[in-house]
Amino acid sequence: MALATATATATLPLRPSSFTSNSNSKCSTTRIRISAQISTNGSPPLAKTFSGKPEADVIVIGSGIGGLCCGALLARYDQDVLVLESHDLPGGAAHSFTIKDYKFDSGPSLFSGFQSRGPQANPLAQVSHRFGYACKVTLILLDNLKVLDALGESPPCATYDSWKVIIPEGEFLSRIGPTEFFKNYPEVTGIKDLQTYGGPNAVQEWRKLLDTILPLSAAAMALPPLSIRGDLGVLSTAGARYAPSLFKSFLQMGPQGALGATKLVRPFVEILDSLELKDPFVRNWVDLLSFLLAGVKSDGVLSAEMIYMFAEWYKPGSCLEYPLGGSGAIIDALVRGLKKFNGRLSLRSHVESIVVEDGRAIGVKLRGGQFVRARKAVVSNASMWDTLNLLPKEVLPQAYQERIKTTPQCESFMHLHLGFDAEGISEDVGIHHIVVNEWERGVDADQNVVLISIPSMLSPDLAPPGKHLLHAYTPGTEPFELWEGLDRKSDEYKQLKVERSEVMWKAVERALGPNFDRGKCAVKLVGTPLTHQRFLRRNRGTYGPAIKAGKASFPGHSTPISQLLCCGDSTFPGIGVPAVAASGAIVANSLVSVSQHSQLLDAVGL
């Protein structure tokens, strides 16, 4: 689960045709119907030629959240923008798909921060409100980006405040807000839970942690991501504009707090160690939250990210949000915002290569040979590895190529999408569940953590009447090496799917209780790392770069090629919905004047 607002579960979305039924299961066979035709290799058909004007000020490759945020903001800035998407649905790893009247999320499902406003609001929320919709993404703190704000788009959300945690020690409801772990509610985590699952010092250590990091949150949240750009203009849009509030936050913290603020750019584990926190449950819990947020444990996540999450989750009035209509409602809002300002989106338009002339990116060549010209810039929303494959190698410095090739990757995913009868399933089951099988193996070990989302609990329209739908997945921990080179039609591949999906089935059975019968599923889809690689066009099906704070940093948005920029999870700030939304906004800001950028900040109320 990638943490969205505070913890956005970041699963990669998968096209329905990328899943196949488990032939060994008793579930009824489900034929997958897709509105678009499917080619002989199972992929959606690609347009041979691009319909419409074959040029734009800016061409954006890919319609993931980063690409859509970038394209929509550029359109808001009155730029002629064309977003080219290889598949027949926009959204990248966050799209939704429908099978037999079940509308599944393919990626993020735990959201928060969409209804926050002001400088500390979720980044995605900041962009969308100016288009019209607002909502929170999979534990990903979208508050600070405000992309939706800028677009005037904000999808309606259902709110809730807890999620079920199943760990080796037992089960509890994790409630967000200032009550977390302290007040002894009958059903939610409180002092009783810390005393039950933690050691004698667990309550004291948790209080000590919050007392230390919450005062730092003012500094961590003082600079809205929407104010950042990739040139010296940032001194005006971010530095001069927000210096007073940043200075005020340091004054409020006092000398010791201000000194502690220097830890914001260091690994979060350094704060844990400096406080001498030793309780295993507290350390495991923080590692779990860190992994859900950024794909790395506390020794690899930036302190600023964790502090932002803690501030969002444990402040008064905090809540989680789920976009009514599913995560696809967020994509729909971004697409509406793009089109509202005359931006263009072309589906089934596969970019074969980026065309470079005299050291400048001047456009792209589509599969089929058509050239589409970019007057000002090309922006790639593909991963760093996939972007590299779009470029002629002779125009790139060897050191740049080697750095990308040697950047470590997160692992991939296993997915389980189910449609089943709601009869016998308790209404109190809730929407989200996290299952940890063994703390000793680490939360980043394969087959050890399973995330479960049952969005029909809050948005019943996603499933037929009297039915539920469910998405379970292993969060970026499935080794690609197990699947590499397998023929998807082979018995070996089918058997491996059965074996590697069993951990998700067992987690679902624990979450739903004895009345759930896997043999009575109306829809059952299993996705693998090969699914990610094939349909999301992700190198080795990866979740993204495995870059640890303190050891390396995410690349910026520029490249050695003039007029070629990048956004998405291979660039700063990194993995997760809020991060990729922020990256798209930063690139868009960098392509317009400081005056235009400042006017947008004024319009959004920043």
XYZ file of all heavy atoms in Angstrom, residues 278-325:
384
model
N 13.484 1.952 21.611
C 13.923 0.565 21.515
C 12.783 -0.442 21.504
O 13.005 -1.622 21.256
C 14.866 0.227 22.679
C 16.101 1.129 22.737
C 17.028 0.723 23.857
C 18.226 1.667 23.958
N 19.020 1.701 22.717
N 11.563 0.000 21.806
C 10.454 -0.944 21.852
C 10.232 -1.567 20.471
O 10.042 -0.840 19.480
C 9.173 -0.243 22.302
C 8.026 -1.217 22.436
O 7.927 -1.880 23.478
O 7.230 -1.340 21.474
N 10.245 -2.894 20.363
C 10.119 -3.554 19.045
C 8.825 -3.201 18.327
O 8.825 -3.007 17.108
C 10.181 -5.047 19.395
C 10.926 -5.103 20.684
C 10.527 -3.873 21.436
N 7.718 -3.112 19.081
C 6.450 -2.806 18.418
C 6.464 -1.399 17.829
O 6.035 -1.189 16.687
C 5.282 -2.936 19.396
C 3.951 -2.597 18.783
C 3.309 -3.496 17.952
C 3.359 -1.365 19.009
C 2.080 -3.177 17.356
C 2.145 -1.036 18.433
C 1.504 -1.949 17.607
N 6.961 -0.433 18.570
C 7.025 0.947 18.076
C 7.922 1.021 16.837
O 7.572 1.648 15.828
C 7.524 1.900 19.174
C 7.805 3.288 18.607
C 6.506 2.000 20.301
N 9.092 0.367 16.898
C 10.001 0.403 15.754
C 9.393 -0.304 14.539
O 9.507 0.178 13.400
C 11.342 -0.243 16.127
C 12.120 0.454 17.236
C 12.618 1.828 16.823
N 13.610 1.819 15.795
C 14.845 2.319 15.931
N 15.223 2.878 17.089
N 15.701 2.295 14.933
N 8.736 -1.436 14.758
C 8.101 -2.153 13.650
C 6.971 -1.329 13.042
O 6.800 -1.293 11.815
C 7.550 -3.496 14.136
C 8.637 -4.530 14.354
O 9.675 -4.497 13.703
N 8.404 -5.455 15.274
N 6.195 -0.678 13.904
C 5.072 0.126 13.423
C 5.566 1.288 12.553
O 5.021 1.559 11.490
C 4.263 0.628 14.612
C 3.064 1.453 14.229
C 2.904 2.791 14.361
C 1.855 0.972 13.639
N 1.679 3.188 13.892
C 1.013 2.087 13.442
C 1.408 -0.292 13.251
C -0.261 1.973 12.884
C 0.134 -0.401 12.688
C -0.675 0.727 12.518
N 6.612 1.957 12.996
C 7.173 3.070 12.226
C 7.749 2.560 10.911
O 7.594 3.204 9.861
C 8.238 3.817 13.038
C 8.949 4.857 12.187
C 7.605 4.496 14.251
N 8.406 1.406 10.930
C 8.921 0.825 9.682
C 7.789 0.532 8.707
O 7.920 0.745 7.498
C 9.685 -0.466 9.978
C 11.184 -0.237 10.149
O 11.655 0.878 9.838
O 11.871 -1.168 10.589
N 6.675 0.027 9.226
C 5.536 -0.290 8.372
C 4.975 0.977 7.731
O 4.733 1.030 6.517
C 4.444 -0.996 9.184
C 3.164 -1.357 8.417
C 3.464 -2.327 7.280
C 2.127 -1.956 9.364
N 4.769 2.027 8.531
C 4.252 3.284 7.989
C 5.210 3.862 6.953
O 4.792 4.358 5.908
C 4.039 4.300 9.120
C 2.949 3.976 10.142
C 2.860 5.091 11.178
C 1.599 3.775 9.471
N 6.494 3.782 7.241
C 7.503 4.291 6.312
C 7.464 3.533 4.993
O 7.512 4.127 3.912
C 8.893 4.180 6.947
O 9.901 4.459 6.007
N 7.357 2.217 5.074
C 7.354 1.400 3.869
C 6.117 1.671 3.022
O 6.183 1.734 1.795
C 7.418 -0.086 4.239
C 7.542 -0.990 3.051
C 8.692 -1.008 2.291
C 6.498 -1.825 2.687
C 8.812 -1.834 1.179
C 6.605 -2.652 1.583
C 7.764 -2.657 0.828
N 4.985 1.862 3.686
C 3.764 2.150 2.950
C 3.835 3.522 2.292
O 3.259 3.748 1.230
C 2.555 2.089 3.891
C 2.268 0.731 4.518
C 1.045 0.806 5.418
C 2.056 -0.319 3.438
N 4.538 4.430 2.907
C 4.646 5.790 2.379
C 5.603 5.883 1.200
O 5.290 6.493 0.185
C 5.105 6.739 3.486
C 5.422 8.180 3.071
C 4.150 8.876 2.598
C 6.045 8.956 4.222
N 6.777 5.275 1.344
C 7.845 5.536 0.377
C 8.494 4.300 -0.220
O 9.424 4.425 -1.020
C 8.921 6.402 1.045
N 8.048 3.114 0.164
C 8.638 1.914 -0.396
C 9.955 1.513 0.238
O 10.616 0.585 -0.235
N 10.356 2.208 1.303
C 11.559 1.868 2.054
C 11.230 1.977 3.547
O 10.274 2.636 3.936
C 12.745 2.802 1.726
C 13.248 2.558 0.315
C 12.350 4.265 1.891
N 12.051 1.335 4.375
C 11.834 1.391 5.820
C 12.379 2.703 6.381
O 12.838 3.576 5.646
C 12.481 0.176 6.481
C 11.843 -1.150 6.060
C 12.283 -2.330 6.897
C 13.737 -2.660 6.720
N 14.107 -3.910 7.437
N 12.337 2.842 7.682
C 12.705 4.115 8.316
C 14.163 4.492 8.081
O 14.522 5.661 8.199
C 12.417 4.062 9.822
O 13.134 3.014 10.444
N 14.999 3.525 7.719
C 16.406 3.855 7.453
C 16.614 4.417 6.056
O 17.715 4.842 5.703
C 17.305 2.628 7.657
C 16.977 1.492 6.695
O 15.930 1.567 6.004
O 17.735 0.519 6.640
N 15.530 4.462 5.237
C 15.675 4.953 3.877
C 14.746 6.097 3.512
O 14.878 6.681 2.443
N 13.813 6.437 4.406
C 12.852 7.491 4.090
C 13.324 8.828 4.669
O 13.921 8.878 5.748
C 11.453 7.145 4.648
C 11.450 7.147 6.175
C 10.394 8.076 4.107
N 13.067 9.911 3.946
C 13.408 11.233 4.449
C 12.568 11.571 5.670
O 11.362 11.316 5.701
C 13.150 12.293 3.375
C 14.227 12.536 2.325
C 13.721 13.542 1.291
C 15.506 13.054 2.967
N 13.198 12.172 6.662
C 12.468 12.575 7.858
C 11.333 13.524 7.517
O 10.257 13.462 8.130
C 13.425 13.241 8.859
O 14.359 12.313 9.350
N 11.551 14.410 6.550
C 10.511 15.375 6.188
C 9.233 14.671 5.741
O 8.123 15.107 6.084
C 11.021 16.295 5.084
N 9.365 13.559 4.988
C 8.190 12.828 4.533
C 7.415 12.229 5.701
O 6.189 12.322 5.771
C 8.597 11.714 3.576
C 9.158 12.179 2.246
C 9.469 11.006 1.338
O 8.516 10.361 0.853
O 10.655 10.716 1.116
N 8.155 11.601 6.622
C 7.498 10.969 7.759
C 6.871 12.003 8.687
O 5.772 11.806 9.209
C 8.513 10.111 8.525
C 8.931 8.866 7.790
S 7.558 7.687 7.550
C 7.388 7.038 9.222
N 7.568 13.102 8.893
C 7.038 14.144 9.778
C 5.777 14.744 9.176
O 4.799 15.026 9.880
C 8.110 15.212 10.037
C 9.211 14.616 10.929
C 7.512 16.452 10.697
C 10.433 15.490 11.059
N 5.781 14.925 7.862
C 4.589 15.423 7.190
C 3.434 14.454 7.386
O 2.297 14.851 7.663
C 4.893 15.605 5.707
C 3.779 16.296 4.948
C 3.788 17.667 4.764
C 2.717 15.567 4.412
C 2.766 18.307 4.072
C 1.694 16.195 3.725
C 1.725 17.560 3.555
O 0.710 18.185 2.892
N 3.704 13.163 7.256
C 2.665 12.157 7.427
C 2.122 12.154 8.843
O 0.910 12.120 9.070
C 3.205 10.764 7.100
C 2.157 9.675 7.212
S 2.874 8.034 7.370
C 3.525 8.110 9.030
N 3.020 12.186 9.825
C 2.579 12.187 11.217
C 1.709 13.406 11.508
O 0.695 13.306 12.202
C 3.791 12.167 12.152
C 4.268 10.784 12.504
C 5.140 10.099 11.665
C 3.844 10.162 13.666
C 5.579 8.826 11.977
C 4.279 8.878 13.989
C 5.144 8.208 13.138
N 2.125 14.552 10.987
C 1.357 15.776 11.230
C -0.034 15.670 10.607
O -1.022 16.127 11.183
C 2.100 16.981 10.667
N -0.104 15.065 9.427
C -1.387 14.932 8.746
C -2.289 13.931 9.450
O -3.494 14.121 9.547
C -1.152 14.496 7.299
C -2.411 14.204 6.501
C -3.242 15.442 6.226
O -2.698 16.552 6.323
O -4.446 15.300 5.913
N -1.706 12.863 9.939
C -2.518 11.799 10.530
C -2.889 12.036 11.981
O -3.904 11.541 12.436
C -1.767 10.469 10.407
C -2.162 9.732 9.173
C -2.718 10.241 8.050
C -2.027 8.346 8.949
N -2.939 9.265 7.130
C -2.528 8.083 7.649
C -1.530 7.293 9.699
C -2.550 6.805 7.103
C -1.544 6.020 9.140
C -2.055 5.786 7.853
N -2.061 12.732 12.727
C -2.298 12.807 14.163
C -2.685 14.198 14.637
O -2.582 14.521 15.808
C -1.059 12.303 14.919
C -0.726 10.867 14.558
C 0.552 10.500 14.144
C -1.698 9.887 14.581
C 0.845 9.195 13.778
C -1.425 8.586 14.232
C -0.147 8.238 13.824
O 0.122 6.941 13.471
N -3.141 15.037 13.716
C -3.609 16.358 14.108
C -5.124 16.299 14.316
O -5.814 15.410 13.795
C -3.265 17.392 13.035
C -4.016 17.206 11.731
C -3.563 18.205 10.677
C -4.345 18.015 9.383
N -3.876 18.925 8.315
N -5.702 17.248 15.074
C -7.159 17.281 15.271
C -7.892 17.390 13.940
O -7.479 18.113 13.040
C -7.364 18.535 16.121
C -6.064 18.736 16.835
C -5.007 18.290 15.853
N -8.972 16.640 13.816
C -9.783 16.716 12.606
C -9.288 15.888 11.451
O -9.866 15.941 10.359
N -8.231 15.102 11.648
C -7.708 14.278 10.559
C -8.718 13.210 10.155
O -9.476 12.703 10.990
C -6.408 13.595 10.980
O -5.403 14.542 11.245
N -8.711 12.873 8.902
C -9.565 11.782 8.433
C -8.964 11.197 7.164
O -8.112 11.799 6.523
C -10.990 12.262 8.166
S -11.146 13.372 6.745
N -9.395 9.998 6.834
C -9.054 9.379 5.563
C -10.212 9.629 4.608
O -11.358 9.824 5.032
C -8.825 7.879 5.739
C -7.631 7.491 6.616
C -7.672 6.002 6.929
C -6.326 7.852 5.935
N -9.929 9.613 3.325
C -10.955 9.882 2.330
C -10.858 8.868 1.203
O -9.767 8.473 0.807
C -10.792 11.294 1.756
C -10.970 12.390 2.788
C -10.433 13.716 2.293
O -9.205 13.863 2.224
O -11.253 14.577 1.965
N -12.007 8.498 0.696
C -12.030 7.641 -0.489
C -12.877 8.325 -1.548
O -14.031 8.701 -1.291
C -12.602 6.265 -0.181
C -12.526 5.362 -1.387
C -11.329 4.765 -1.753
C -13.647 5.152 -2.199
C -11.224 3.988 -2.887
C -13.561 4.370 -3.330
C -12.349 3.792 -3.672
O -12.264 3.024 -4.806
N -12.326 8.527 -2.758
C -13.082 9.201 -3.815
C -14.267 8.348 -4.268
O -14.084 7.198 -4.667
C -12.059 9.369 -4.940
C -11.031 8.319 -4.683
C -10.971 8.128 -3.197
N -15.457 8.911 -4.176
C -16.633 8.184 -4.634
C -16.499 7.937 -6.133
O -16.233 8.850 -6.908
C -17.893 8.990 -4.329
C -18.153 9.244 -2.834
C -19.405 10.097 -2.645
C -18.279 7.930 -2.078
N -16.664 6.676 -6.503
C -16.434 6.306 -7.888
C -15.063 5.698 -8.103
O -14.712 5.336 -9.232
